[in-house]
């Protein structure tokens, strides 16, 4: 049986990848990732019941976060590391099973006779694991439950993948909440049921959005506690002379540790992709050798990494198949993996630094051009009185949130066109790597407030939500009645959980693109349209005219 995957926006023909993933994963990797999700479900079944019996489950929580994160699009393509993770899952599943039975005996409770993934036994070969993964394929869920139910189940699971990825980020920064883990276990356990009602599935999808809102708050807190509050900062976007390291992905903790280890060694550090907002954090920008940003969004990396004359660190996610020209100077960290690429353990960047010192670096300074970042919710709300005054005085007609994930399709030029056509009496909030479509354009200001406000990474959606909620309170209305429109670009599972959060908060009239998720069937989309007026993007000029009319 061939693979089947439709978890991201770039999926083949917007129906599903069946021979080879557009992301670069082959059928074997796809099967191993499906098995990881299946094994995680078994862990959640025991974890959920242990929590109801009052037993702490930190090992289960951590392993589910790490495991599901590894299956997010463009994270881990290394069969050996995936197989090692599966072995770790199997050992923990056995421990969880024994702990559950022992706890029931101690508390004189009758243990449930669990089936499905709770009874999984690991195959004794890589081929056997791949076959087990094939038997856990989404295609079989579609055959069993039909496209609508299977699609809703996957909507929930993909949302959970994004949520635990953000929870993983937050935990690294010392911000976590047991209620988050408990809810994740509960929802994953629910997904192991045999029968489902559409209303029940939709309710659980919104529950993912609710818990993700909490996770985004934790992550925001973790960033501020570790790195300080973001502040408006100009970032150089062309290189300077010297040895160089490029850091991509999302992990600011990795960046901080790298900056500490490179201090005084004559190596300049550059950000790439979603790491651009790092320059706005006081505890990061105080390092003088964090000199600027190189390149754009994640999907340009094969071209940009090849052009970069230093070493490269890929954190968290967004890795693509490396070119031979730079694979030997590419390093991964955390859950990221690609076969044959050097992996950094325990944030020991010695080999990465040695590699950078042995490479030529940039031989001369380039143009000193800069862009402005650092408009987190504290900064924006610090000028809230000016924003309110501008709206009330008719100087600021409308706010547009244009952001999210970027991708390679030419249809994504929609977001560039939309931003360029936004009238001069309107402002743009942006976040995520989608901003690279227009963040080097000149938009000017309105009464001293920049018309383009970069609010950070995709995981800084919390900032945008807080700004919207605060403005709604000032105007004594709800968010849907504000002069605010959301124009969202999506790509992978982090974007899915953010969408579910927006729906949980009752946000209406969201435009999402470039294509609607393949796992949201026409029947399910009809429900979302009726309840939230969720819609796809169309023509930029026409959509803009409709919004402002």
């Amino acid at each position: 049986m061939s693979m089947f995957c439709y978890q991201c926006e770039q999926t083949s023909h917007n129906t599903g990848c069946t021979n080879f993933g557009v992301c670069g994963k082959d059928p074997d990797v796809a099967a191993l990732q499906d098995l990881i999700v299946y094994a995680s479900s078994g862990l959640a079944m025991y974890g959920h019941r242990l929590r109801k019996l009052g037993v702490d489950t930190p090992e289960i929580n951590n392993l589910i976060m790490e495991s599901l994160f590894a299956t997010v699009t463009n994270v881990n393509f290394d069969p050996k590391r995936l197989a090692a993770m599966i072995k770790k899952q199997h050992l923990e599943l056995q421990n969880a099973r024994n702990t559950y039975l022992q706890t029931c005996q101690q508390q004189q409770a009758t243990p449930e006779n669990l089936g499905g993934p709770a009874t999984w036994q690991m195959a004794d070969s890589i081929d056997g694991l791949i076959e087990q993964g094939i038997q856990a394929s989404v295609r079989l869920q579609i055959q069993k439950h039909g496209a609508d139910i299977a699609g809703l189940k996957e909507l929930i699971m993909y949302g959970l993948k994004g949520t635990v990825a953000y929870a993983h980020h937050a935990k690294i920064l010392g911000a976590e909440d047991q209620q988050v883990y408990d809810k994740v276990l509960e929802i994953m356990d629910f997904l192991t049921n045999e029968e489902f009602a559409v209303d029940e599935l939709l309710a659980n999808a919104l529950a993912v959005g609710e818990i993700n809102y909490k996770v985004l708050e934790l992550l925001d807190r973790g960033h501020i506690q570790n790195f300080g509050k973001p502040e408006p900062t100009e970032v150089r976007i062309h290189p300077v002379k010297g040895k160089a390291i490029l850091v991509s992905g999302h992990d600011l903790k990795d960046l901080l540790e790298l900056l500490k280890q490179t201090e005084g060694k004559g190596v300049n550090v550059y950000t790439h992709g979603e790491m651009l907002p790092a320059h706005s954090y006081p505890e990061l920008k105080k390092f003088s050798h964090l000199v600027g940003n190189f390149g754009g969004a994640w999907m340009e990396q094969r071209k940009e990494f090849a052009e970069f004359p230093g070493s490269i660190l890929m954190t968290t996610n967004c890795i693509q198949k490396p070119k031979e020209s730079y694979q030997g100077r590419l390093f991964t960290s955390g859950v990221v993996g690609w076969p044959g690429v050097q992996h950094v353990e325990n944030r020991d960047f010695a080999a990465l630094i040695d590699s950078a010192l042995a490479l030529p670096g940039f031989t001369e300074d380039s143009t000193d051009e800069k862009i402005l970042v650092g408009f987190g919710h504290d900064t924006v709300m610090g000028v809230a009185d000016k924003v309110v005054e501008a709206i009330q005085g008719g100087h600021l007609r409308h706010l547009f949130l244009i952001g999210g994930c970027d991708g390679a399709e030419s249809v994504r030029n929609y977001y560039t066109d939309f931003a360029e056509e936004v009238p001069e009496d309107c402002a743009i909030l942006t976040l995520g790597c989608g901003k690279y479509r227009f963040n080097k354009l000149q938009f000017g200001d309105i009464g001293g407030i920049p018309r383009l406000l970069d609010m950070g990474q995709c995981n800084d959606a919390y900032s945008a939500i807080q700004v919207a909620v605060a403005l709604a309170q000032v105007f004594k209305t709800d968010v849907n009645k504000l002069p605010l429109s959301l124009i969202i670009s999506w790509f992978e599972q982090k974007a899915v959980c953010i969408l579910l959060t927006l729906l949980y908060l009752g946000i209406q009239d969201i435009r999402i693109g470039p294509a609607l998720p393949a796992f949201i069937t026409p029947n399910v989309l009809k429900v979302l349209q009726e309840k939230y007026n969720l819609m796809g993007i169309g023509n930029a000029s026409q959509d803009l005219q409709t919004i402002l009319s």
Side-chain angles (χ1 to χ4, degrees):
M1 181 185 294
S2 61
M3 66 176 281
F4 181 81
C5 180
Y6 62 178
Q7 71 173 358
C8 77
E9 189 275 335
Q10 69 179 2
T11 191
S12 182
H13 304 295
N14 199 38
T15 55
C17 294
T18 56
N19 296 314
F20 204 89
V22 174
C23 66
K25 68 182 176 183
D26 60 32
D28 289 353
V29 168
L32 291 172
Q33 290 185 355
D34 286 343
L35 182 56
I36 284 173
V37 174
Y38 186 77
S40 297
S41 299
L43 286 169
M45 292 174 75
Y46 284 114
H48 177 54
R49 285 157 180 80
L50 285 169
R51 290 299 299 144
K52 289 198 294 184
L53 293 170
V55 179
D56 291 335
T57 59
E59 294 83 6
I60 292 175
N61 301 338
N62 293 335
L63 187 52
I64 286 178
M65 278 196 298
E66 181 183 356
S67 300
L68 290 186
F69 196 171
T71 71
V72 168
T73 303
N74 291 91
V75 174
N76 197 321
F77 298 80
D78 190 337
K80 291 182 179 179
R81 287 182 58 200
L82 294 175
M85 181 172 288
I86 291 169
K87 182 178 180 179
K88 188 176 179 181
Q89 287 183 300
H90 186 247
L91 290 173
E92 187 56 43
L93 184 62
Q94 291 176 312
N95 292 334
R97 184 183 299 122
N98 292 334
T99 302
Y100 174 63
L101 294 175
Q102 291 170 4
T103 303
C104 287
Q105 185 178 27
Q106 292 168 358
Q107 298 188 13
Q108 297 182 339
T110 302
E112 294 181 51
N113 185 22
L114 300 178
T119 64
W120 169 65
Q121 294 292 323
M122 186 180 70
D124 58 5
S125 68
I126 188 73
D127 289 340
L129 294 178
I130 290 169
E131 180 57 35
Q132 286 185 326
I134 290 172
Q135 297 307 312
S137 168
V138 176
R139 178 183 276 124
L140 297 181
Q141 290 293 310
I142 296 173
Q143 293 174 359
K144 181 177 181 179
H145 297 291
D148 293 341
I149 296 298
L152 279 170
K153 286 186 64 182
E154 294 309 301
L155 170 64
I156 295 169
M157 179 54 72
Y158 301 155
L160 285 172
K161 286 186 180 188
T163 295
V164 300
Y166 285 141
H168 189 274
H169 292 324
K171 185 179 187 300
I172 287 172
L173 300 175
E176 55 183 332
D177 188 322
Q178 183 60 48
Q179 291 181 352
V180 170
Y181 302 134
D182 289 348
K183 194 64 179 180
V184 169
L185 293 174
E186 178 186 339
I187 296 172
M188 289 186 68
D189 176 70
F190 162 77
L191 291 176
T192 66
N193 291 340
E194 290 297 318
E195 296 183 0
F196 301 92
V198 170
D199 290 346
E200 196 176 24
L201 287 163
L202 287 171
N204 274 272
L206 294 181
V208 173
E210 180 180 12
I211 202 65
N212 186 64
Y213 188 36
K214 176 65 176 177
V215 170
L216 291 176
E217 180 186 10
L218 289 170
L219 185 53
D220 179 75
R221 185 192 312 164
H223 278 149
I224 291 173
Q225 289 175 345
N226 283 268
F227 313 117
K229 293 181 180 179
E231 51 194 31
T233 304
E234 288 189 326
V235 181
R236 184 182 179 117
I237 57 174
H238 296 295
V240 296
K241 182 179 180 180
K243 305 289 185 178
I245 292 175
L246 185 64
V247 185
S248 194
H250 302 74
D251 196 320
L252 300 184
K253 183 68 176 291
D254 275 0
L255 177 60
L256 176 61
E257 293 304 315
L258 177 63
L259 289 168
K260 290 178 180 178
Q261 293 176 39
T262 49
E263 194 167 20
K265 294 189 176 180
V267 179
N268 292 322
V269 177
Y270 297 81
T271 56
H272 177 270
E274 284 272 56
M275 296 299 288
L276 169 63
H279 295 270
S280 67
Y281 288 94
E283 291 302 308
L284 295 173
K285 71 177 186 176
K286 71 181 183 182
F287 292 92
S288 61
H289 62 298
L290 179 62
V291 296
N293 188 76
F294 180 89
W298 68 275
M299 77 287 180
E300 301 290 348
Q301 67 186 254
R302 283 170 55 83
K303 172 179 178 292
E304 293 168 350
F305 288 4
E307 295 172 348
F308 189 78
S311 298
I312 305 155
L313 175 65
M314 176 59 73
T315 74
T316 62
N317 55 308
C318 296
I319 192 171
Q320 291 183 299
K321 180 180 180 179
K323 289 184 176 181
E324 289 185 11
S325 62
Y326 65 82
Q327 181 164 334
R329 51 190 173 89
L330 176 66
F331 295 74
T332 60
S333 65
V335 295
V336 188
W338 192 280
V341 171
Q342 302 173 78
H343 189 71
V344 173
E345 299 287 356
N346 302 317
R347 295 193 174 86
D348 179 358
F349 297 114
L352 170 68
I353 296 168
D354 288 343
S355 172
L357 289 170
L359 291 164
F362 291 100
T363 57
E364 60 183 10
D365 292 345
S366 297
T367 308
D368 185 13
E369 183 182 354
K370 296 177 181 178
I371 57 175
L372 191 61
V373 302
F375 290 92
H377 56 89
D378 286 303
T379 300
V380 175
M381 295 319 300
V383 294
D385 55 339
K386 293 183 179 179
V387 174
V388 171
E389 182 180 335
I391 293 174
Q392 291 177 332
H395 305 295
L396 177 55
R397 179 166 38 144
H398 206 88
L399 291 166
F400 292 93
L401 174 62
I402 310 175
C405 311
D406 203 358
E409 306 98 325
S410 60
V411 70
R412 288 180 182 266
N413 290 331
Y414 168 94
Y415 297 96
T416 310
D417 296 340
F418 196 104
E420 288 183 317
E421 294 189 29
V422 168
E424 293 185 359
D425 60 352
C426 301
I428 299 170
L429 307 174
T430 191
L431 47 80
C433 61
K435 61 173 165 275
Y436 282 105
R437 292 274 166 178
F438 48 81
N439 69 339
K440 296 179 179 67
L441 302 177
Q442 298 299 315
F443 289 94
D445 64 83
I446 298 176
I449 302 172
R451 286 188 57 232
L452 178 65
L453 302 171
D454 185 344
M455 306 193 77
Q457 298 179 331
C458 61
N459 49 21
D460 291 310
Y462 180 77
S463 275
I465 293 170
Q466 292 306 107
V467 168
V469 169
L471 287 176
Q473 291 174 346
V474 169
F475 286 105
K476 294 182 173 57
T477 185
D478 62 50
V479 172
N480 290 315
K481 294 180 182 177
L482 289 172
L484 170 67
S485 298
L486 276 63
I487 317 297
I488 306 298
S489 55
W490 83 285
F491 178 73
E492 38 90 310
Q493 296 78 64
K494 287 181 176 179
V496 173
C497 67
I498 290 174
L499 174 62
L500 292 178
T501 292
L502 295 173
L503 298 182
Y504 155 71
L505 294 171
I507 307 299
Q508 301 276 333
D509 304 328
I510 300 169
R511 283 174 164 79
I512 185 171
L516 292 168
F519 48 85
I520 295 182
T521 63
N523 289 333
V524 174
L525 178 60
K526 183 179 179 181
V527 174
L528 296 178
Q529 288 175 328
E530 290 174 351
K531 190 169 184 177
Y532 302 103
N533 197 31
L534 179 70
M535 66 190 88
I537 61 171
N539 173 274
S541 297
Q542 293 174 359
D543 285 352
L544 182 61
Q545 183 178 0
T546 299
I547 292 169
L548 293 177
S549 63

